[in-house]
Amino acid sequence: MDDCALSFWIYTGVMSVFVGSTLKKFLTSHVSSMPSLVAWLGATLLVERLCTLCMPAVLALAVLCAICWLYSSWDGPPYTLPVEEKAVFITGCDTGFGHATAKQLDAMGFEVFATVLDLEGEGAKQLRGTCSQRLTLLQVDITQTQQVQQALLCTKAKLGMKGLWALVNNAGVCVNFGDAELSLMSNYRGCMEVNFFGTLSVTKTFLPLLRQSKGRIITISSPSGEQPFPCLASYGASKAALNLLINTLRHELEPWGVKVSTILPSAFKTGQSSNTEYWEKQHQLLLQSLSPGLLEEYGEEYVLETKELFQNYAQAANEDLSPVVKTIVEALLSPRPRVRYYAGPGVGLLYFIHSYLPLTLSDRFLQRLFLKKKVIPRALRKENGLGLLNHSSNNNNNNNNNTPQRE
């Protein structure tokens, strides 16, 4: 075998392993956005250029990329399940994703059971005024077992023999901003209590109905549960625990015919995220709770900048919740719902970078995307002989999209 033929087969083998493994991971992750596809092609071509150029292999690679494009873009026939006789239970419908989804599903003809924290609140009043008689409002704090059980009894009484088609776990809370060391223990416990234990309680309570109907569970999670977003330790940890729970349920419920999906949205303006008084209250509470020593080492200006950054992110977040609502509808009516859905602009690219680029580059991208901090802790400034950096003029340049959510 001459040197040219040997080089060709070595090149073909290396490229087959690289492209095959990358393609498998890419397709199973359901990343279908154009930026992600372009990034994948760019990475493949970069490796290709490092190998020996050979025209037949280049043509074969082009064909493979074309097949990948067509396959990843094809979602199968445009067939959806009928809406008739389908009932859906949704948590956290006072505002945000739950509120918008309850309205949309009711308009489509679903029988909707929507939980709210306050039956006399503005969100509940809007649902009463805009939705049909099919929608049932239930006052439920998902951290209160008795209220969850009462919601189950009310749902079963109204459904009769019809059965519950789906549970949409939407209720969640994010009350934290700041470094993990500065975050209050009450924030960690609060996020876990709602996002993990509350969702677990609702899911366990309604599982018998879902197993009986061979229905489905749809859970709104967050990329911060899988990637280390700075200053979101308490929220991210609770979502990480939730993700593992849902994935475990997916395996365990497969023999029962229950489909389990997770939706990972990008940044949207929901709940208290645009409330200036809310951010100021959280900031003052944090300052009052920190020990004098810890506050001295970090500095009030460091904490203030973090608050301002989060507030800017919230103001810049997307107000159009339709990408998430459409994704929930797809997961409800698709004959073969996906395990994971990415909802909203940029989140597919975020996951691609996290999955395929070196960790150092992925971490740097995440930090620059989410937190462009200019102020360093006071103790480090003294140690390095640095003066206080002017951060107020830089905060206006932050175009970050991630924002804490109150679903």
Side-chain angles (χ1 to χ4, degrees):
M1 181 179 295
D2 56 29
D3 293 339
C4 180
L6 180 61
S7 299
F8 169 77
W9 288 112
I10 292 176
Y11 166 82
T12 302
V14 171
M15 287 303 300
S16 297
V17 172
F18 175 81
V19 174
S21 60
T22 304
L23 180 60
K24 179 181 178 182
K25 190 172 183 181
F26 179 80
L27 294 178
T28 55
S29 66
H30 300 289
V31 178
S32 58
S33 62
M34 182 61 68
S36 300
L37 184 58
V38 171
W40 178 79
L41 291 176
T44 304
L45 291 175
L46 177 62
V47 174
E48 187 274 334
R49 295 299 299 175
L50 296 177
C51 299
T52 304
L53 291 176
C54 186
M55 187 55 66
V58 173
L59 293 177
L61 181 62
V63 173
L64 179 62
C65 290
I67 294 174
C68 167
W69 191 323
L70 292 174
Y71 184 85
S72 62
S73 301
W74 184 70
D75 291 328
Y79 168 70
T80 59
L81 299 175
V83 173
E84 290 74 16
E85 300 299 314
K86 284 185 170 58
V88 180
F89 189 95
I90 313 174
T91 62
C93 296
D94 298 85
T95 60
F97 303 141
H99 186 86
T101 302
K103 287 183 176 180
Q104 177 63 30
L105 297 185
D106 177 77
M108 295 175 64
F110 283 93
E111 183 171 359
V112 178
F113 295 85
T115 75
V116 293
L117 286 173
D118 185 3
L119 282 175
E120 302 304 322
E122 186 61 32
K125 291 178 180 178
Q126 289 183 12
L127 290 176
R128 286 195 193 94
T130 58
C131 296
S132 70
Q133 295 297 317
R134 290 188 305 272
L135 183 135
T136 301
L137 281 175
L138 300 168
Q139 183 167 332
V140 179
D141 179 345
I142 64 172
T143 66
Q144 302 299 314
T145 304
Q146 185 176 358
Q147 294 184 25
V148 175
Q149 290 291 338
Q150 184 62 38
L152 173 66
L153 295 177
C154 294
T155 302
K156 291 173 66 174
K158 189 159 186 180
L159 286 176
M161 299 298 294
K162 185 165 59 175
L164 181 67
W165 171 247
L167 165 66
V168 179
N169 286 317
N170 167 74
V173 62
C174 177
V175 294
N176 174 74
F177 64 87
D179 297 44
E181 185 180 13
L182 301 181
S183 299
L184 306 178
M185 288 304 297
S186 60
N187 287 339
Y188 287 98
R189 294 190 179 96
C191 286
M192 286 297 296
E193 194 65 33
V194 177
N195 300 338
F196 178 73
F197 289 112
T199 302
L200 173 60
S201 175
V202 173
T203 303
K204 284 173 61 67
T205 299
F206 282 85
L207 258 180
L209 295 182
L210 298 169
R211 287 190 288 103
Q212 180 182 357
S213 65
K214 298 185 184 298
R216 48 195 60 180
I217 300 171
I218 300 166
T219 302
I220 311 299
S221 187
S222 169
S224 64
E226 298 179 339
Q227 301 183 37
F229 281 82
C231 296
L232 279 181
S234 61
Y235 180 72
S238 66
K239 289 295 187 178
L242 177 62
N243 290 344
L244 183 59
L245 168 68
I246 296 302
N247 280 323
T248 303
L249 284 173
R250 176 171 56 84
H251 289 291
E252 296 174 349
L253 295 176
E254 185 176 359
W256 295 91
V258 177
K259 302 290 194 300
V260 179
S261 299
T262 301
I263 296 177
L264 299 157
S266 57
F268 290 91
K269 189 173 293 186
T270 59
Q272 298 282 351
S273 60
S274 58
N275 187 338
T276 304
E277 294 181 0
Y278 166 79
W279 291 108
E280 186 59 35
K281 181 179 179 181
Q282 294 296 317
H283 176 234
Q284 293 301 324
L285 178 62
L286 179 60
L287 289 178
Q288 295 169 9
S289 303
L290 292 177
S291 66
L294 198 57
L295 184 58
E296 173 61 27
E297 289 187 310
Y298 277 88
E300 290 189 26
E301 61 281 354
Y302 181 86
V303 179
L304 175 61
E305 186 202 35
T306 304
K307 188 266 291 188
E308 292 174 347
L309 286 172
F310 268 79
Q311 196 167 341
N312 289 340
Y313 303 153
Q315 292 173 353
N318 192 356
E319 296 183 0
D320 180 15
L321 307 183
S322 61
V324 177
V325 175
K326 290 178 181 178
T327 303
I328 293 173
V329 172
E330 180 183 346
L332 286 172
L333 296 179
S334 173
R336 292 179 297 174
R338 297 178 180 180
V339 172
R340 297 161 66 87
Y341 289 91
Y342 300 124
V347 68
L349 177 60
L350 179 68
Y351 268 88
F352 177 83
I353 292 174
H354 176 71
S355 300
Y356 297 106
L357 294 188
L359 188 60
T360 53
L361 294 179
S362 176
D363 286 347
R364 185 175 300 176
F365 172 80
L366 190 63
Q367 291 168 358
R368 292 183 65 85
L369 171 73
F370 187 62
L371 277 187
K372 293 182 180 178
K373 292 188 72 65
K374 303 300 180 181
V375 177
I376 63 176
R378 184 181 296 167
L380 294 179
R381 293 199 302 270
K382 293 179 179 179
E383 179 180 324
N384 297 323
L386 298 175
L388 174 62
L389 300 178
N390 187 352
H391 66 279
S392 59
S393 60
N394 294 307
N395 287 339
N396 295 328
N397 297 323
N398 288 307
N399 295 317
N400 307 294
N401 292 324
N402 288 285
T403 181
Q405 301 179 32
R406 177 64 169 91
E407 295 106 17

